[in-house]
Amino acid sequence: QAKAAGKGGMVKYDQSMSERTTARVRLFNRLRTAESAGAFAVYYQPQVRATDGRIRGAEALLRWRDAELGMVPPDQFIPACEETGQIIPVGEWVLRQTCRMVRRLEEAGVPDLILSVNVSVVQLMQSDFVKTAARIAEQEQVDPRRLELEITESVMMGAYDEASRRLRALRDIGFNTSLDDFGVGYSSLTYLRQFPFSTLKLDKSFVKGLPEERTDCAMVRSIIRIAEDLGLETVGEGVEVDGQRDVLAESGCTWLQGYLIGRPMPEADLPGFFAGWPGFSAPAYPEPAQ
Ligand code: C2E
Ligand code: MG
Ligand code: MG
Ligand code: MG
């Protein structure tokens, strides 16, 4: 291929390679200073019940605003953090921040909510992860049942038994556990059988085609049905329009998350968002007495 492109093609290829390497090195260098510079923030995206909009809680999503690079999307910097191991302290920080948000929301009178946190498999595979997560919740005086740890399926390839044991230990302590981005990646059904998840998150790529795409509707319905039969709750991700919400609700999806309900927002905005959230169909008049 390079030969056919001639000498010019080769040179061009080399240049873009070195440009990419430079950008990469720069990203890694900036990332190293991010924590001490206070450049990380946790945003929260609300989750509500599919049928009536009752609040479930929110997902914590890490944001990085670098002084030189600007906002860098998590899909770019999380893999870099995983490569260097920086995801371990950063992940602990996100969990701690989220615990503090649980306390804040409890104090604001939002009852029984669950905040979910993404956990990298690099964290999960640390031999002391279970202890660390339990310790953080305890130090922050948060009941682990108020927290959910999200794991992305493709990342568990290879370390089945150990990952399964860790998830079981987390469940035993009280943490909810969810399988993130379900439906993209590998051997999804096997994961459901082998791992102690409490929640399944339907990937937004399935939700996208609703309500028009018949195959997406069929897939979503079947997945929700299987999850239900296995005793798992479901979260539909990436819900942007009413039609998507309606198919998910009719299919028995438990919870919804997406721009239709709310975008990820700075921590300061979340209590107010919940306070002003009307639900989907707050009746304009009292229900008639039975
Ligand atoms: P995720 O865990 O699947 O998070 C959901 C992503 O979907 C978020 O992207 C969110 O902003 C986006 N999203 C939510 N609603 C909609 C919608 O209606 N339409 C569309 N198109 N997108 C929507 P974000 O924040 O860019 O995060 C990307 C990924 O980065 C996350 O995917 C998660 O895997 C990872 N990530 C984020 N924060 C953390 C963290 O603290 N730790 C770890 N390990 N990973 C994180
Ligand atoms: Mg997630
Ligand atoms: Mg994820
Ligand atoms: Mg997801």
Side-chain angles (χ1 to χ4, degrees):
Q1 188 67 48
K3 225 178 198 171
K7 207 183 167 216
M10 284 294 280
V11 169
K12 200 164 173 221
Y13 178 68
D14 284 343
Q15 269 177 351
S16 76
M17 276 286 278
S18 75
E19 270 164 29
R20 247 180 298 156
T21 308
T22 309
R24 216 175 109 86
V25 169
R26 188 150 176 247
L27 181 91
F28 278 86
N29 282 335
R30 298 300 305 167
L31 206 44
R32 261 205 309 255
T33 67
E35 263 177 289
S36 54
F40 285 129
V42 181
Y43 275 43
Y44 294 90
Q45 185 176 33
Q47 298 175 340
V48 303
R49 191 156 61 189
T51 49
D52 59 2
R54 197 198 86 192
I55 294 163
R56 179 197 199 220
E59 177 176 8
L61 294 162
L62 186 58
R63 294 290 178 263
W64 175 31
R65 185 188 296 280
D66 180 69
E68 286 177 17
L69 303 172
M71 282 297 275
V72 184
D75 292 331
Q76 281 176 30
F77 74 82
I78 299 277
C81 286
E82 288 175 328
E83 234 176 278
T84 60
Q86 194 180 354
I87 194 66
I88 295 161
V90 171
E92 286 181 20
W93 180 79
V94 174
L95 181 58
R96 195 176 289 283
Q97 295 305 113
T98 305
C99 286
R100 290 177 184 169
M101 181 54 90
V102 171
R103 292 292 305 272
R104 261 181 81 181
L105 290 168
E106 279 172 355
E107 280 154 23
V110 188
D112 295 342
L113 78 177
I114 291 176
L115 295 189
S116 38
V117 179
N118 292 283
V119 171
S120 161
V121 79
V122 174
Q123 294 174 267
L124 186 65
M125 285 301 121
Q126 293 297 300
S127 58
D128 60 355
F129 178 73
V130 176
K131 261 195 199 156
T132 302
R135 192 194 65 230
I136 292 171
E138 202 187 324
Q139 285 170 344
E140 300 301 326
Q141 296 174 283
V142 168
D143 183 341
R145 281 172 294 198
R146 304 272 71 87
L147 296 164
E148 180 169 79
L149 305 175
E150 297 194 2
I151 315 282
T152 301
E153 57 173 320
S154 54
V155 295
M156 287 195 296
M157 300 284 288
Y160 267 44
D161 293 349
E162 196 48 45
S164 184
R165 270 197 295 276
R166 301 252 164 100
L167 287 171
R168 170 58 57 203
L170 290 162
R171 285 298 299 278
D172 289 345
I173 294 167
F175 287 101
N176 300 284
T177 53
S178 75
L179 179 53
D180 205 354
D181 305 337
F182 182 82
V184 295
Y186 314 87
S187 59
S188 311
L189 293 173
T190 308
Y191 281 106
L192 289 186
R193 198 155 51 88
Q194 294 196 330
F195 295 103
F197 288 111
S198 44
T199 312
L200 180 157
K201 297 194 78 178
L202 259 174
D203 190 70
K204 52 181 172 290
S205 59
F206 286 112
V207 174
K208 205 173 173 180
L210 310 179
E212 291 87 7
E213 298 291 335
R214 285 178 59 90
T215 48
D216 286 337
C217 289
M219 298 267 264
V220 161
R221 259 189 236 114
S222 308
I223 293 168
I224 291 168
R225 179 65 201 281
I226 291 170
E228 229 170 51
D229 288 348
L230 292 171
L232 300 170
E233 295 195 333
T234 43
V235 177
E237 298 191 290
V239 182
E240 295 183 356
V241 296
D242 284 343
Q244 295 168 340
R245 177 194 78 190
D246 294 344
V247 174
L248 288 165
E250 285 158 18
S251 307
C253 184
T254 332
W255 311 104
L256 306 179
Q257 178 180 348
Y259 299 162
L260 178 70
I261 293 104
R263 298 214 169 223
M265 62 189 85
E267 58 176 23
D269 294 354
L270 190 66
F273 177 90
F274 283 153
W277 173 251
F280 285 141
S281 52
Y285 47 84
E287 296 283 338
Q290 295 294 321

